[in-house]
């Protein structure tokens, strides 16, 4: 988009006597179509957040890295063992891809006043939402990061713009999301685009990560009361193709398998790369297809599910039991636990996908689910300075009643016991979705992760290449 050249099919005389027009980044944004196309480009890096989800789960105490061997994708293995360093290709990818998203959204914001048209406020609202989304991913992973509120980063900024303190990063994210909330409605103009509900929910999560519990409770209750979201009655259907963009989907990353890619450019895939990575190795059978056996759940997280919890068999595939009941066969990979992330493993499709089947799976990622909103609201009400445990239990038990199919397992405790119950509920409700590591860190429970060093592993190292590019402008995170 920064280097589109427009030529007309015309005579030599015309070319000799007319100016050749070039369309570049500074001469763009002359029409509604330009803004819309730039918005599509800003959404596109969301598909590369597969790495955030996959690596975020591997970093937690929910799963082991798995794979073929101890040297299969070393970056993932190192994060799993908490021995990662600034030289890590997967952390470098995450940094680069998320900053690519920041810059694409910032491109629209930088030129927000150039051309007026009806509906521009919606496009701008989405651009602010997306910049906030990408910056939130970056601050979660790396802590203090460079920010540029006025627009795009350009070559040389890395030598002059410092890493901003987390408080300043969060302040920018909050400001962006407030603009998004003001400009968007609860109904998306197209499936997959951000809404007021998505912006409010993300703002609530941002508040929660800063222990701003009263603010979080207020904005999350707006989502609950005004967003029109409803918990799907059947937990199983949420993660099947038929359950995509359902009644409980607040924000969902859209994937497709009709445009292929290869392992040389994983971020180019329009499919959900993480799905193939988490598939059962050498699988032959019904419903599922094979994959690379990464991100395998541990017995510990399986045991967190209570008797009668209908989510267990949806979230966790016990491959031995499944093989015995269906006649399927499989091979085992490294760190085989016998379990797989059933929410996001490849399913049999009616037609072949384009490109490599392992990286073009069409499973959408449910980035913000209504159950997540309810549990965040429960936590915020329980942990705010004047707790409202009655309201917290209402939100918590809405999730549990769906899980058990009745109210017999509702939580009745209060105070710190209720806090612990909410934490446990988040773990089992959201297992396999990339949230557990950050939930542990933000609540001071990171030491529950094997190999975790307090004061170090709350954030990940800035990639060495980025430190070098800054020529001394950026310091490394402590103990890295």
């Amino acid at each position: 988009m920064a280097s589109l050249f427009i030529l007309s099919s015309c005579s030599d005389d015309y070319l000799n006597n007319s100016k050749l027009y070039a369309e570049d980044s500074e001469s763009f944004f002359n029409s509604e179509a330009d803004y819309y196309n730039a918005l599509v480009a800003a959404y596109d890096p969301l598909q590369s957040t597969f790495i955030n989800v996959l690596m975020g789960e591997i970093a937690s105490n929910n799963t082991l890295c798995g794979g073929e061997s101890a040297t299969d994708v070393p970056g993932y293995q190192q994060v799993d063992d908490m021995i990662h360093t600034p030289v890590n290709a997967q952390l470098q990818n995450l940094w680069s891809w998320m900053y690519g998203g920041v810059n694409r959204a910032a491109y629209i914001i930088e030129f927000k006043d150039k051309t007026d048209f009806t509906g521009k406020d919606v496009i701008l609202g989405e651009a602010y939402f997306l910049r906030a989304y990408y910056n939130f991913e970056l601050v979660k992973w790396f802590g203090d990061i460079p920010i540029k509120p006025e627009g795009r980063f350009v070559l040389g900024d890395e030598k002059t713009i410092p890493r901003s303190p987390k408080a300043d990063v969060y302040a920018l994210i909050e400001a962006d999301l407030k603009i998004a909330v003001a400009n968007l409605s609860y109904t998306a103009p197209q499936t997959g685009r951000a809404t007021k509900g998505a912006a409010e929910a993300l703002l609530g999560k941002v508040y929660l990560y800063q222990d701003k519990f009263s603010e979080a409770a207020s904005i999350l209750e707006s989502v609950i009361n005004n967003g029109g979201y409803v918990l799907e009655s059947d937990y199983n259907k949420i993660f099947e193709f038929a359950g995509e963009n359902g009644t409980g989907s607040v924000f969902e990353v859209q994937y497709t398998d009709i445009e292929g890619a290869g392992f040389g450019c994983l971020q180019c895939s329009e499919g959900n790369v993480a799905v193939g990575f988490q598939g059962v190795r050498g699988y032959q059978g019904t419903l599922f297809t094979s994959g690379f056996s990464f991100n395998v759940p541990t017995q510990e997280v399986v045991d967190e599910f209570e008797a009668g919890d209908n989510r267990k068999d949806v979230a966790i595939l016990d491959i031995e039991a499944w093989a015995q009941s269906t006649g399927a066969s499989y091979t085992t990979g490294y760190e085989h636990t016998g379990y797989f992330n059933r929410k996001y493993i490849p399913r049999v499709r009616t037609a072949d996908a384009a490109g490599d089947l392992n990286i073009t799976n069409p499973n959408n990622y449910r980035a913000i689910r209504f159950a997540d909103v309810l549990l965040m609201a429960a936590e915020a009400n329980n942990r705010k300075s004047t707790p409202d445990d009655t309201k917290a239990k209402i939100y918590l038990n809405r999730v549990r009643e769906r899980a058990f199919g009745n109210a017999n397992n509702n939580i009745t405790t209060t105070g710190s016991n209720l806090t612990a119950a909410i934490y446990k509920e988040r773990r089992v409700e959201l297992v396999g979705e990339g949230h557990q590591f950050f939930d542990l860190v933000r609540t001071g429970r990171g030491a529950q992760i094997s190999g975790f060093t307090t004061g170090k592993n709350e954030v990940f190292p800035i990639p060495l290449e980025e430190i070098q590019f800054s020529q001394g402008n950026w310091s490394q995170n402590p103990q890295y």
Side-chain angles (χ1 to χ4, degrees), residues 109 112 119-129 175-187 189 193-197 199-200:
I109 294 168
K112 65 184 188 309
K120 188 175 75 168
D121 55 336
V122 174
I123 288 178
L124 292 179
E126 292 176 67
Y128 280 105
F129 171 85
D176 283 355
L177 289 173
K178 288 175 182 177
I179 294 172
V181 168
N183 284 4
L184 301 177
S185 67
Y186 287 111
T187 302
R193 291 172 64 176
T195 62
K196 179 189 288 286
E200 289 180 329

Side-chain angles (χ1 to χ4, degrees), residues 65-279:
C65 178
E68 182 182 34
S69 68
T71 57
D72 191 0
V73 191
Y76 292 162
Q77 299 287 354
Q78 292 162 11
V79 166
D80 183 27
D81 296 334
M82 289 285 131
I83 58 171
H84 46 275
T85 72
V87 181
N88 185 300
Q90 306 312 318
L91 290 172
Q92 175 69 67
N93 285 339
L94 194 153
W95 172 282
S96 299
W97 297 347
M98 292 306 96
Y99 265 113
V102 168
N103 238 28
R104 291 187 184 196
Y107 182 33
I108 302 169
I109 294 168
E110 183 176 327
F111 289 92
K112 65 184 188 309
D113 297 322
K114 185 175 182 184
T115 303
D116 287 326
F117 55 89
T118 302
K120 188 175 75 168
D121 55 336
V122 174
I123 288 178
L124 292 179
E126 292 176 67
Y128 280 105
F129 171 85
L130 290 169
R131 184 168 73 170
Y133 191 99
Y134 296 125
N135 271 325
F136 182 52
E137 288 299 312
L138 286 162
V139 75
K140 283 195 316 182
W141 282 88
F142 300 106
D144 301 349
I145 58 168
I147 54 175
K148 191 173 183 179
E150 64 271 21
R152 293 167 293 169
F153 289 97
V154 297
L155 190 63
D157 281 348
E158 71 279 3
K159 301 179 186 67
T160 59
I161 296 179
R163 292 176 63 192
S164 292
K166 283 197 300 184
D168 293 346
V169 179
Y170 278 123
L172 176 63
I173 293 171
E174 289 177 17
D176 283 355
L177 289 173
K178 288 175 182 177
I179 294 172
V181 168
N183 284 4
L184 301 177
S185 67
Y186 287 111
T187 302
Q190 287 176 290
T191 299
R193 291 172 64 176
T195 62
K196 179 189 288 286
E200 289 180 329
L202 184 55
L203 181 55
K205 181 167 285 193
V206 168
Y207 285 143
L208 201 63
Y209 271 61
Q210 301 172 83
D211 290 352
K212 295 181 176 180
F213 300 120
S214 294
E215 295 93 331
S218 177
I219 195 70
L220 291 168
E221 285 169 16
S222 178
V223 182
I224 294 167
N225 296 327
N226 304 314
Y229 304 105
V230 178
L231 289 175
E232 292 90 342
S233 59
D234 186 349
Y235 189 78
N236 183 49
K237 289 183 179 178
I238 299 173
F239 303 100
E240 299 296 336
F241 299 139
E244 292 179 344
N245 303 299
T247 60
S249 175
V250 180
F251 188 65
E252 197 159 313
V253 178
Q254 310 295 306
Y255 288 102
T256 179
D257 61 1
I258 62 173
E259 186 174 341
F263 280 87
C265 185
L266 290 179
Q267 74 273 28
C268 302
S269 179
E270 298 297 317
N272 190 338
V273 174
V275 172
F277 268 67
Q278 295 174 107

Side-chain angles (χ1 to χ4, degrees), residues 7 14 41 44 49 55 161 210 232 266 301 323 378 394 400 413:
L7 289 172
Y14 179 84
D44 194 60
T49 57
M55 196 155 55
I161 296 179
Q210 301 172 83
E232 292 90 342
L266 290 179
V301 75
I394 290 173
R400 288 182 63 82
T413 190

Side-chain angles (χ1 to χ4, degrees), residues 4 12 23 54 70 77 98 121-122 163 168 178 181 183 196 227 251 283 290 305 318 338 366 369 411 425 454 459 462:
L4 285 171
D12 290 342
E23 189 173 297
L54 182 60
Q77 299 287 354
M98 292 306 96
D121 55 336
V122 174
R163 292 176 63 192
D168 293 346
K178 288 175 182 177
V181 168
N183 284 4
K196 179 189 288 286
F251 188 65
Y283 183 85
S290 66
F305 289 91
D318 181 334
R366 285 68 169 171
R369 295 198 285 115
I411 298 296
E425 200 66 28
T454 301
V459 292
I462 306 298

Side-chain angles (χ1 to χ4, degrees), residues 88 96 101 306 316 387 390 468:
N88 185 300
S96 299
E306 302 166 49
I316 307 294
T390 298
Q468 292 173 334

Side-chain angles (χ1 to χ4, degrees), residues 367-427:
I368 307 176
R369 295 198 285 115
F370 188 49
D372 186 7
V373 171
L374 288 169
L375 293 175
M376 287 193 293
E379 181 183 340
N381 277 285
N382 166 249
R383 297 183 67 194
K384 64 185 183 180
S385 56
T386 304
D388 188 340
D389 283 353
T390 298
K391 190 176 286 184
K393 285 185 284 187
I394 290 173
Y395 297 142
L396 170 62
N397 288 326
R398 284 178 65 176
V399 176
R400 288 182 63 82
E401 287 172 17
R402 195 259 303 270
F404 291 91
N406 56 56
N408 298 336
N409 297 275
N410 282 6
I411 298 296
T412 59
T413 190
T414 59
S416 60
N417 290 332
L418 178 57
T419 309
I422 294 168
Y423 291 163
K424 178 175 180 177
E425 200 66 28
R426 286 190 60 80
R427 187 178 189 185

